[in-house]
Amino acid sequence: MIANLVQLAAEEEQNPLVPPGPELLVGAIAFAIVFFFFWKKLLPNINKVLEERREAIEGGIEKAEAAQTEAQSVLEQYKAQLAEARHEAARLRQEAQEQGATLIAEMRAEGQRQREEIVAAGHTQLAADRKAAAQSLRQDVGQLATDLAGKLVGESLEDSARQSRTIDRFLDELEEKAEAAR
């Protein structure tokens, strides 16, 4: 068996990296057939799929750019509407403040007018009450003065016309003295 191995080793002095000629020819023909098949059948299909993918990716990028442009446009519109709404709110707020100030001024004027009416009515009522009190006081003082004078004189001073003139004269003199003292 060792002899057989030595004989085989002597016959195979050929390089193990280089195959024998017929095997190299069969391998080259098989490679050419497989290469031709790939080149004619698979390579166009692969290129077609790659082209479709490239177009889909580019179309997706274009769609994304279009969507981004549209989103930017919508954002600008939104910002413009928001700015307009803020401007409108500021205008309405200013208008409400002006209306409030006008309403307050009107209410103050109305309050002032009502206060003046109340004060005028109070003055009128006070004057009427003063006049009524003075009239009542004249009558009471006149009656007391007449009674006192009648007791002093010893006769009755019941004549109402004379009594009224005497009382009026007496009270007028008192008022003149009071005014002169002021």
Side-chain angles (χ1 to χ4, degrees):
M1 193 158 162
I2 293 183
N4 281 340
L5 285 178
V6 171
Q7 186 185 1
L8 279 174
E11 287 176 5
E12 289 193 21
E13 288 277 330
Q14 190 178 359
N15 188 355
L17 295 178
V18 178
E23 281 183 24
L24 188 60
L25 182 65
V26 170
I29 292 173
F31 177 75
I33 292 172
V34 171
F35 179 76
F36 181 76
F37 175 74
F38 274 118
W39 185 55
K40 285 292 187 178
K41 295 289 181 182
L42 290 179
L43 192 59
N45 287 340
I46 291 172
N47 284 337
K48 181 181 171 187
V49 170
L50 288 176
E51 185 66 25
E52 288 174 358
R53 277 191 164 174
R54 186 184 61 78
E55 289 175 3
I57 290 171
E58 287 176 358
I61 290 172
E62 290 173 2
K63 286 180 185 176
E65 288 174 354
Q68 185 176 6
T69 304
E70 183 180 345
Q72 188 67 26
S73 172
V74 169
L75 179 63
E76 293 299 323
Q77 289 176 353
Y78 170 74
K79 285 181 180 179
Q81 288 175 351
L82 184 61
E84 184 179 327
R86 285 182 178 156
H87 179 69
E88 181 69 16
R91 186 188 63 77
L92 290 175
R93 188 172 38 250
Q94 180 66 27
E95 187 176 299
Q97 287 175 348
E98 290 171 1
Q99 287 177 353
T102 303
L103 185 61
I104 288 171
E106 289 174 0
M107 295 303 285
R108 282 184 180 158
E110 179 66 20
Q112 184 70 20
R113 186 190 59 78
Q114 288 178 356
R115 183 184 69 84
E116 289 172 1
E117 286 178 2
I118 291 170
V119 168
H123 285 301
T124 305
Q125 182 66 36
L126 187 60
D129 288 347
R130 184 179 300 142
K131 188 175 181 180
Q135 185 67 25
S136 175
L137 185 61
R138 277 183 184 247
Q139 289 175 357
D140 290 344
V141 168
Q143 185 63 37
L144 288 173
T146 305
D147 289 345
L148 184 60
K151 287 182 182 177
L152 287 175
V153 172
E155 25 179 286
S156 177
L157 299 172
E158 291 298 324
D159 182 15
S160 66
R162 189 173 21 161
Q163 180 183 14
S164 180
R165 281 191 309 263
T166 306
I167 293 171
D168 287 340
R169 190 181 64 231
F170 175 72
L171 289 176
D172 288 339
E173 288 175 8
L174 282 178
E175 285 178 6
E176 288 175 8
K177 288 181 185 178
E179 286 180 12
R182 286 185 197 178

